[in-house]
Amino acid sequence: MFCVYIDDLLVLLSKANIDCFIGNNYVGALAYADDLVLLAPSASSLRKMLAICNAYAAEYCMSFNAQKSQCLVILSNACRYLKPLLLDNAFYIGGKPIDFVSSFPRLGDIN
């Protein structure tokens, strides 16, 4: 039922002109059960996606839980020097900051 409810948000995110594609498939917003993953190529792109999520939540009387949200920064070896700069940026959902992590457990596996 969650996926039906959240489908319009996924459409909005896919039309936001944020380049996260594998071939012709948009992969910037992935949903499964009651989880939503946002993939963004830059900090400004992630802010734009979070703003879309915040507006959607306000319009449809729902909320995202910042305490259950995490931000994982993945950089190529050539760009590792940028990580401290990215970690100084704060991202917010529902007006609350999202914590940065270096890994996260899902389904008993550490990714």
Side-chain angles (χ1 to χ4, degrees), residues 18-20 31 40 48 53 56 64 69 76 86 95 100 104:
I18 295 169
D19 292 331
C20 283
K48 182 176 180 179
C53 290
Y56 186 87
F64 292 97
S69 301
S76 69
L86 289 171
F100 282 92
F104 59 94

Side-chain angles (χ1 to χ4, degrees), residues 40-101:
S42 67
S44 61
S45 294
L46 182 56
R47 280 197 185 82
K48 182 176 180 179
M49 296 173 84
L50 290 169
I52 292 168
C53 290
N54 281 322
Y56 186 87
E59 182 176 348
Y60 290 96
C61 299
M62 61 179 284
S63 62
F64 292 97
N65 189 339
Q67 291 178 325
K68 290 185 177 181
S69 301
Q70 299 172 331
C71 185
L72 177 66
V73 176
I74 301 171
L75 297 169
S76 69
N77 286 335
C79 295
R80 294 278 178 199
Y81 69 94
L82 293 172
K83 194 164 190 171
L85 297 173
L86 289 171
L87 295 178
D88 285 341
N89 286 290
F91 299 102
Y92 296 87
I93 191 76
K96 297 190 174 148
I98 299 171
D99 290 333
F100 282 92
V101 295

